[in-house]
């Protein structure tokens, strides 16, 4: 009866019940995007129209259990709007005893991350509360002594049956599930797997990896084997393999930041031969099913573009796009859409050949790797909505999402074969920060948790501002300061810290993932100050030397990244650069506050006047170099070309373009280092920090995923 009652409540349109004759009614609409079901039993995310999963069912289960125990419905109002408001805002009145109340309340948490995360957790809590085994649940519960506190007479039976239902559903799922997937490890060396694809025969796997700190190189291996054979294409990264056995590869690859790889697109036969170059400055590519055309991602005018075929723009973004995959029918392209540079969060989307884009799944704080299911009815991808431990998910073209595989650690999806086998990267990530403190001869690793990214260094080089963006930082990130002498870190709060004030007393923090406001947080005693929202998506912010103005890197809805000047008095931000600037880490301000160095849309560094006027190019610089800092006298600009270590920081004279090397930066252990960024130094150049990202991969073939 409980099961029938619950299913009826969860699947039928709103109707009146015995004590609820005036309950609002919701018609069973069929319009696209409409959520069907009973309002009083929907989870908050369902009411808001956001993606829902098994934890929404746990919320609904909690609402039903509350009604069974209290004898009255929990969420109801005179109108549908009142009922939805109750679901979103009202807390349940207390139940007796308190132990039972705690279980029900956890089911009914508004925040999905604070609920029971699985039926097994819920069943365990109920089983512990009822004090019985599932084999004899009901008889034992009926025999319980009357409670000392007032409970409805049916409460013990309800608890017992609810526990039996939760555990029974879990047990049934275990009994009826398909055979467990099987795993075969394909790589055994220490380093990072950049990409992997199945060859047309379905048995050969081609992958590109950088082992033991060496350059990226393609290898091939066979299912069932343990040896990998180099393809004698050192420095090349395999992007895709056509049905005819032709590879799309990336030559002369470089990494301008943590996540974006650039290079020259070329094609070469899997059987051997010399690559034939096609196009420069390409980030990613995939073949059409018949091998006649290729879809690419590249940057143009500060906008990241998805083109298919080459030259036909289907979609463009002010952020960046990754993992384009052409559908089995060739009629759509799926991709990962990342709105913020230097952040791997975003959404899963598809675009048709007419340029109509649709977001299938959103809210991912980390997503990496995507492929179509063999029949083209689903898009599979690896992602997580909190921390950095990505799992494998699938989403239909209508937006129905499901979990495919979760393991300890982080997964990357590389490819799916025609018979459903998956190529997965099992990743171990760590992002850290190395620092040379004042008066020290050796660098010190100032990493704190698992993903420490240095963001700013005080002028005296004694305080580091950094952000934790992985498991330690959670879905909202967390900002810290730390003494560069190696003392313990001090947590400032949630969000991404971007800059220290000139006196070191304040840090600018941007909330994540909203990124819609600037917050000034004291580094010592004091009160937090929130600046007025400006309708922007903020990427970075830094201080002018006067401490009264800020330089913002951000974008307005539908527009590209540009730099703004923000007065702390509250005036609206004033743009000083065109849209589409390519600066991702820093846009340094000259000592006199008159100029800002930023990467123009053509990826060359330009000096933009703060007061307005014509920009000034910097001679002697090549495309892709990033500005780091002005010298104290304003004559020189420190620049860096981010990428695989060692990376070199040079000092360039602004008038003549004369260049002199300043320092090479690289961690002592090069294995798995996929990038060095960002870099910052004190005005006198005697202290500095640089970030590094280390990824250690195992390539695994998985069979039996459903």
């Amino acid at each position: 009866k409980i099961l029938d009652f619950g299913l009826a409540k969860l699947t039928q349109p709103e109707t009146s019940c015995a004590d609820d004759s005036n309950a609002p009614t919701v018609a069973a609409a069929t319009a696209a995007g409409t959520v069907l079901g009973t309002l009083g039993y929907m989870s908050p995310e369902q009411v808001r129209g956001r993606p829902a999963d098994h934890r929404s069912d746990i919320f609904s289960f909690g609402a039903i259990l509350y009604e069974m125990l209290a004898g009255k419905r929990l969420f109801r109002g005179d109108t549908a709007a009142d009922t939805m408001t109750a679901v979103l805002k009202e807390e349940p009145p207390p139940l007796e005893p308190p132990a039972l109340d705690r279980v029900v309340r956890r089911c009914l948490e508004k925040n999905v991350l604070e609920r029971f995360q699985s039926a097994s957790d819920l069943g365990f809590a109920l089983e512990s509360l009822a004090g019985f085994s599932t084999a004899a649940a009901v008889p034992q519960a009926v025999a319980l002594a009357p409670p000392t506190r007032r409970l409805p007479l049916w409460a013990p039976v309800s608890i017992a049956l609810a526990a039996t239902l939760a555990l029974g559903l879990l047990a049934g799922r275990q009994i009826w599930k398909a055979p467990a997937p099987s795993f075969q490890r394909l790589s055994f060396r220490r380093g990072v797997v950049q990409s992997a694809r199945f060859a047309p025969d379905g048995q050969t796997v081609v992958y590109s990896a950088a082992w033991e700190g060496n350059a990226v190189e393609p290898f091939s291996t066979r299912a069932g084997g343990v040896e990998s054979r180099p393809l004698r294409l050192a420095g090349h990264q395999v992007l895709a393999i056509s049905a005819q056995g032709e590879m799309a590869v990336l030559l002369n690859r470089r990494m301008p930041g943590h996540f974006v790889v650039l290079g020259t697109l070329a094609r070469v036969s899997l059987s051997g031969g010399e690559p034939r170059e096609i196009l420069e400055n390409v980030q990613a590519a995939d073949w059409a099913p018949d091998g006649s055309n290729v879809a690419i991602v590249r940057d143009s005018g500060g906008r990241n573009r998805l083109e298919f075929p080459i030259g036909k723009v289907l979609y463009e973004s002010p952020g960046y796009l990754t993992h384009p995959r052409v559908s089995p029918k060739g009629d759509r392209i799926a991709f990962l859409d990342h709105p913020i540079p230097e952040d791997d969060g975003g959404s899963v989307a598809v675009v048709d050949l007419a340029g109509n884009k649709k977001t299938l799944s959103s809210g991912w704080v980390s997503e990496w790797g995507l492929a179509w299911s063999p029949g083209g009815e689903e898009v599979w991808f690896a992602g997580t909505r909190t921390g950095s431990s990505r799992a494998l998910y699938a989403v239909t073209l209508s937006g129905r999402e499901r979990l495919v595989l979760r393991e300890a650690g982080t997964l990357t999806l590389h490819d799916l074969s025609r018979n459903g086998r998956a190529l997965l990267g099992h990743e171990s990530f760590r992002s850290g920060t190395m620092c040379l403190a004042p008066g020290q001869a050796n660098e010190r690793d100032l990493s704190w948790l698992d993903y420490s990214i240095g963001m700013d260094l005080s002028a005296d080089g004694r305080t580091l501002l950094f952000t934790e963006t992985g498991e330690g930082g959670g879905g909202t990130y967390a900002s810290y300061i730390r003494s560069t002498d190696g003392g313990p870190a001090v947590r400032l709060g949630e969000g991404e810290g971007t800059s220290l004030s000139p006196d070191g007393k304040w840090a600018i923090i941007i909330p994540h993932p909203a990124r819609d406001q600037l917050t000034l947080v004291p580094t010592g005693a004091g009160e937090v100050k929130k600046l007025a929202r400006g309708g922007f998506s903020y990427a970075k912010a830094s201080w002018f030397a006067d401490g009264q103005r800020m330089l913002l890197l951000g974008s307005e809805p539908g527009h590209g990244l540009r730099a703004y000047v923000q007065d702390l008095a509250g005036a609206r931000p004033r743009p000083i650069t065109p849209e589409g600037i390519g600066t991702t880490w820093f846009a340094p301000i000259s000592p006199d506050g008159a100029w800002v160095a930023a990467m123009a849309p053509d990826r060359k560094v330009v000096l933009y006047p703060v007061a307005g006027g014509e920009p000034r190019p910097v001679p002697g610089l090549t495309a892709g170099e990033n500005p780091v800092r002005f010298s104290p006298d304003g004559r020189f600009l420190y620049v860096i070309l981010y990428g695989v270590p060692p990376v070199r920081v040079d000092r360039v004279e602004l008038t003549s373009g004369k260049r002199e090397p300043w320092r090479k930066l690289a961690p002592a252990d090069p294995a798995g280092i996929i990038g060095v960024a960002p870099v910052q130094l004190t005005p006198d150049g005697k202290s500095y920090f640089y970030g590094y990202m280390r990824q250690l991969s195992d390539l695994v073939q998985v069979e039996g995923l459903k």
Side-chain angles (χ1 to χ4, degrees), residues 366-658:
S366 176
E367 53 176 8
W368 208 252
L370 176 147
W372 288 90
S373 63
E377 68 280 355
E378 287 183 319
V379 175
W380 289 31
F381 64 98
T384 179
R385 288 191 169 98
T386 180
S388 60
S389 294
R390 297 188 297 261
L392 184 61
Y393 291 86
V395 62
T396 65
L397 296 180
S398 62
R400 183 176 180 181
E401 183 185 300
R402 64 185 180 90
L403 175 67
V404 178
L405 177 68
R406 185 187 300 280
E407 290 190 324
T410 296
L411 299 179
T412 295
L413 176 61
H414 289 292
D415 202 9
L416 288 174
S417 70
R418 289 191 296 270
N419 59 5
R421 286 179 293 138
L423 283 179
L424 299 179
H426 194 277
E427 320 286 6
S428 172
F429 282 101
R430 183 172 182 83
S431 183
T433 298
M434 303 296 297
C435 180
L436 182 68
Q440 299 297 309
N442 298 315
E443 297 173 351
R444 175 183 281 116
D445 194 329
L446 291 182
S447 308
W448 187 243
L449 301 178
D450 63 320
Y451 227 82
S452 307
I453 299 180
M455 303 302 294
D456 200 9
L457 191 62
S458 61
D460 61 6
R462 300 189 182 279
T463 302
L464 173 72
L465 173 68
F466 67 95
T467 301
E468 288 289 343
T469 65
E471 289 294 307
T476 57
Y477 294 176
S479 295
Y480 294 78
I481 55 171
R482 188 177 186 184
S483 172
T484 56
D485 64 7
V490 177
R491 191 176 191 273
L492 298 180
E494 295 183 347
E496 180 182 304
T498 69
S499 179
L500 291 169
S501 61
D503 59 8
K505 294 182 178 180
W506 298 92
I508 303 174
I509 293 182
I510 299 173
H512 184 85
R515 311 193 75 90
D516 59 351
Q517 188 167 32
L518 299 176
T519 304
L520 304 185
V521 178
T523 57
E527 296 183 359
V528 173
K529 301 178 182 180
K530 291 189 175 182
L531 302 184
R533 287 182 169 90
F536 291 84
S537 175
Y538 298 104
K540 294 289 184 297
S542 57
W543 299 83
F544 279 81
D546 59 15
Q548 300 302 310
R549 294 175 296 164
M550 292 184 297
L551 178 72
L552 310 179
L553 301 181
S555 60
E556 299 177 79
H559 294 274
L561 187 72
R562 66 194 308 185
Y564 300 80
V565 174
Q566 169 72 66
D567 192 323
L568 290 185
R572 184 169 178 80
R574 175 174 57 85
I576 62 171
T577 72
E579 289 185 28
I581 61 172
T583 300
T584 55
W585 286 112
F586 304 115
I589 305 167
S590 64
D592 60 5
W595 300 90
V596 169
M599 189 185 295
D602 63 0
R603 303 190 62 81
K604 291 185 178 180
V605 174
V606 171
L607 301 183
Y608 291 98
V610 172
E614 290 298 316
R616 192 175 106 199
V618 178
L621 297 185
T622 60
E625 288 187 296
N626 278 254
V628 175
R629 173 180 285 280
F630 285 89
S631 62
D633 58 9
R635 291 179 54 211
F636 298 91
L637 182 67
Y638 292 88
V639 297
I640 184 173
L641 183 63
Y642 289 123
V644 178
V647 298
R648 194 179 77 180
V649 181
D650 289 345
R651 196 171 77 149
V652 178
E653 190 173 36
L654 294 175
T655 54
S656 67
K658 183 180 178 181

Side-chain angles (χ1 to χ4, degrees), residues 91 204 206 212 252 320 331 343 387 529 611 621 670 675:
E91 297 295 334
T204 302
V206 178
E212 290 85 37
N252 308 316
Y320 70 104
D331 59 343
D343 192 295
K529 301 178 182 180
L621 297 185

